[in-house]
Structure formats: C-alpha cells, structure tokens
Amino acid sequence: MTVRKNQATLTADEKRRFVNALLELKRSGQYDTFVTTHNAFIMSDTDNGDRVGHRSPSFLPWHRRFLIQFEQALQSVDATVTLPYWDWTADRTSRSSLWAPDFLGGTGRARDGQVTDGPFARTGNRWTINVRVDGRDYLRRDLGAGGRQLPTRAEVDSVLAMETYDMAPWNSSSDGFRNHLEGWRGVNLHNRVHVWVGGQMATGVSPNDPVFWMHHAFVDKLWADWQARHPRSTYLPAAGTANVVDLGDTMRPWNDVTPADMLDHTRHYTFDTAA
Amino acid sequence: MSSITRRRALGVAAGAAGAAAGLALAGQAVAAPRAAAPAAAPASFDEVYQGRRIKGGPSGGGHHGGHHGGGYSVTIDGEELHVMQNADGTWISVINHYEPVATPKAVARAAVRELQGAPLVPLTLA
C-alpha cells in the first residue's frame, strides 16, 4: 500500500530513491510530458470559460488524479517510492532539510536565480528545463524573496474551518474552502507557496521544480483533512453547471475519471498520519 | 476563446509600485460590483521598462490561440506574453501565474523583472 510521508521524516535512503526516480523519469522524457500537460491547463483554464485544472471546483480532484499518475510513473521506476508531502507551515525557511544538497538543493544564486547545488542543478547535466516559457534552461528559485512568508498553521486552520466546499460562480472569485485553499481569495495558501519558491514554480510550467509534487501532495492532504473535519460536506456543484466539472462529470485529459471517483484517497494511498 | 468581461482597474498607480498596489487590490477587488455592461478595456501602453520594450493593447486578429486576455494582448520585445484576466479584474501572466496584479502594464513589468533579460519563447499550447 502506498503511504505518503512528510518529507521531513524521510530516511537518507528514501530521499536517494525518490531523487533517482525523478532523474530517471526526466532522462526518459516522461517527466516533461507532465510539465506540458500542466501548462496546457494553466493557460486554458479561465474564470468565465471552461476550467478544469485550476480556478474551479475540480482543482482538487484534478491535481489528485495528476499526482496519482505521476506517482505511478515514479513507481514504475522504483516500486518503493511514494510522493512525500511538504508541510510548509512547519518547514518554512530556506534552511529546511528539504532544500539540502542531498534532496532538492537550495535557492538560486543572486545573479540569475540559478540553483547551483543538489541533484537538479543545471551543472549536473541531469535536469535541463525543456518545457519553458523563456530562454533559460536551468532550474531557478528565489526562496522567500522580498521577505515573503509561507502560510502559518493558524491560517491553514482558518481555511480548514470553512464548511462549504465551493460556491458559485465556481472560479477565482468564489467564497468557500476550495478557493481559499487554492489562494485566489483570502489568506492565500496554495498560490502563495508557488510565489514563495519563485523561479519556475511561480510560472505556468511550475512542475519543472520537483517541489511542485511535494507542495501539491500537501494541498491534497489538506483536502483529506478538511473531509475528516466536515463529514457532512461534499464536493460541489452536483450537476448541470456550465463550463465547470460537476461531481459526476469526467475530467480532461483523462476523460474516464470524475471528481466522485477521487473523493476517497484511501483507495489509492494513505498518509503517515491520520487525516 | 472565452468572453471575459473587461473592467478598467481604476485608481491604481502604474508606477514602480504597480505590482505591490495590484497585490493590495487583489484582496479587495472581489467585493467590487461587476459592471452590468462590458466596461472599456485597459489602456494601451508602449514603453521601455528596464531595457525591454513592453506593449499592450487590443489584440488584432492572427494572435496565437491560447491567450485569454479577453481581446487584450501584451508583448515583450515583440514576443507575446500569455496574459489572463481574473474575474475580479486583476491580471496574471504565464511568467507570474500565481500572483495577480492590477493592470496589464503591471503584469508586463513583473514579467520583465522576472525574466532578468531572458527572451520569451513563442507560446505553445499542447
């Protein structure tokens, strides 16, 4: 059974296996197909048009399915690997072991934002940025630039307290749990973390940085935590909503999976702590 | 192409503080009532910012297919920057996707700062 663990608790061997599986997916070309898919949805999801991956109720089930697919790709390389999650309310500085050279490497250098240590530094020749929106082919970060702060546990708890999953108009202006977790409204959780990391993580091609998966694995865990707190609340909208994925509608690009299929994560994996 | 209601972002400084002003606006703009009829598009602009030529204005035909600026396009040194307007009237681009700012000019300037001199590559939408 797949158990997703807090990245801070991984052993040296677990980190090494996770990194090696990432590098192998990159080498084989599979990794970049995930970046391409994400960017296509980022660019096409709009507040007043069709929206599936972002700024819509299906933000959470879409990313859950996307991460399951990615985790399965990792496991095809090394069956012992699972996606770790990054609790950015706890590991909230650039001095966290997450950013050490034996794991993701650190922030970028001042001159050009280039990450210069760790397995994903351009100089190691194993992590070229191919799917990109500008001319730079090296991984960049600017952790906590300008004194930005990651969300606090209290801010997360304030969002987990929201009983209603999502609300009309089902986009970036909605009230409710989903949009507050996504961050277009209110204290800003998910969006703010992308901005805090900087570099490619702040762009439409954000999965170029491996921390993307750990960030979204934690966002996904927060959805599970919310479900546990609000057993009488469920995914909305139920049916008949233009441009929006209703509970029983299939989601692009898979076209064979619905939000209803994604509500129970325990069919696919569990977490190292009770949700 | 979606038909996004465009709303002029009023009263927001377009100077160097534009991005910061946009952030402040982003938290409040949700409460602003939506205009019943489509309001005027944001003003056009054409300037050199930190050594880059940034232009914005109503897009003609023939632009790339994947942008959702609601008929408004932005270029940096002649290459199109994919921009998108949020329901509250704020703007993002593919370079700064998770941090809304108030105007297309602010989003172009934010992209210039982020690019640190690098060229945009032509838009692709798989």
Side-chain angles (χ1 to χ4, degrees):
Chain A
M1 184 62 187
T2 293
V3 179
R4 293 190 180 170
K5 301 175 183 174
N6 187 321
Q7 60 80 25
T9 69
L10 297 186
T11 65
D13 186 57
E14 286 170 328
K15 290 181 186 181
R16 189 164 51 241
R17 285 174 173 273
F18 178 64
V19 165
N20 286 343
L22 287 165
L23 293 172
E24 174 55 21
L25 289 186
K26 182 71 169 175
R27 189 202 61 76
S28 73
Q30 286 183 79
Y31 192 94
D32 286 346
T33 67
F34 287 90
V35 186
T36 299
T37 296
H38 187 266
N39 190 47
F41 278 84
I42 274 273
M43 289 173 66
S44 65
D45 294 324
T46 59
D47 275 337
N48 290 17
D50 276 345
R51 45 197 186 275
V52 180
H54 306 86
R55 58 181 66 237
S56 59
S58 44
F59 167 71
L60 290 169
W62 190 92
H63 281 84
R64 177 165 285 176
R65 181 67 186 82
F66 192 55
L67 263 62
I68 289 169
Q69 186 176 7
F70 185 73
E71 189 170 55
Q72 288 171 344
L74 289 171
Q75 291 173 342
S76 73
V77 175
D78 181 340
T80 70
V81 170
T82 68
L83 279 183
Y85 61 86
W86 169 32
D87 178 351
W88 23 255
T89 71
D91 294 296
R92 47 186 301 106
T93 78
S94 58
R95 295 179 302 281
S96 163
S97 59
L98 173 63
W99 308 110
D102 68 340
F103 205 11
L104 297 192
T107 194
R109 63 187 178 192
R111 171 156 59 87
D112 59 4
Q114 185 169 168
V115 170
T116 58
D117 68 348
F120 309 102
R122 181 69 184 85
T123 47
N125 248 343
R126 292 187 296 183
W127 202 262
T128 308
I129 305 300
N130 301 308
V131 182
R132 56 186 193 252
V133 293
D134 62 62
R136 295 169 289 185
D137 71 353
Y138 46 86
L139 181 64
R140 292 177 295 110
R141 293 186 188 125
D142 199 358
L143 303 180
R148 287 193 176 91
Q149 299 293 313
L150 289 164
T152 64
R153 186 68 226 182
E155 287 171 328
V156 165
D157 286 340
S158 74
V159 172
L160 290 179
M162 296 177 177
E163 280 185 37
T164 304
Y165 177 77
D166 205 348
M167 298 188 198
W170 320 108
N171 63 17
S172 75
S173 66
S174 290
D175 200 352
F177 169 69
R178 186 275 310 168
N179 197 38
H180 279 83
L181 175 55
E182 190 169 0
W184 299 111
R185 181 165 179 163
V187 297
N188 187 355
L189 302 181
H190 153 269
N191 282 354
R192 194 194 332 176
V193 176
H194 277 275
V195 174
W196 185 90
V197 174
Q200 281 88 3
M201 263 292 273
T203 75
V205 291
S206 46
N208 273 308
D209 191 326
V211 82
F212 173 92
W213 309 103
M214 295 191 216
H215 171 36
H216 271 279
F218 185 59
V219 170
D220 183 80
K221 182 175 186 298
L222 292 178
W223 184 22
D225 292 344
W226 175 87
Q227 289 175 307
R229 280 197 206 192
H230 304 282
R232 276 190 267 259
S233 299
T234 191
Y235 183 93
L236 295 170
T241 316
N243 297 326
V244 169
V245 181
D246 295 314
L247 179 64
D249 292 345
T250 57
M251 296 185 286
R252 288 184 288 118
W254 309 285
N255 298 319
D256 63 354
V257 60
T258 67
D261 297 328
M262 287 288 105
L263 297 183
D264 179 9
H265 70 280
T266 64
R267 293 167 56 190
H268 307 278
Y269 50 87
T270 58
F271 293 103
D272 54 356
T273 58
Chain B
M1 173 77 56
S2 58
S3 57
I4 295 171
T5 302
R6 295 181 299 272
R7 193 161 57 78
R8 190 186 297 272
L10 291 166
V12 176
L23 267 180
L25 179 76
Q28 306 161 7
V30 173
R34 297 285 300 274
S44 296
F45 62 92
D46 183 349
E47 68 174 23
V48 175
Y49 177 76
Q50 294 189 358
R52 310 290 294 268
R53 180 83 178 270
I54 58 173
K55 295 176 68 172
S59 51
H63 55 70
H64 294 277
H67 86 70
H68 293 89
Y72 192 96
S73 75
V74 173
T75 60
I76 298 177
D77 293 337
E79 278 295 341
E80 186 168 0
L81 174 68
H82 180 272
V83 298
M84 183 184 294
Q85 188 172 28
N86 295 319
D88 67 359
T90 59
W91 294 76
I92 54 173
S93 80
V94 74
I95 297 286
N96 300 88
H97 197 84
Y98 301 93
E99 188 170 38
V101 296
T103 65
K105 183 154 78 173
V107 97
R109 287 177 165 189
V112 166
R113 291 192 296 273
E114 167 62 23
L115 285 166
Q116 295 186 287
L120 284 176
V121 297
L123 294 172
T124 55
L125 185 59

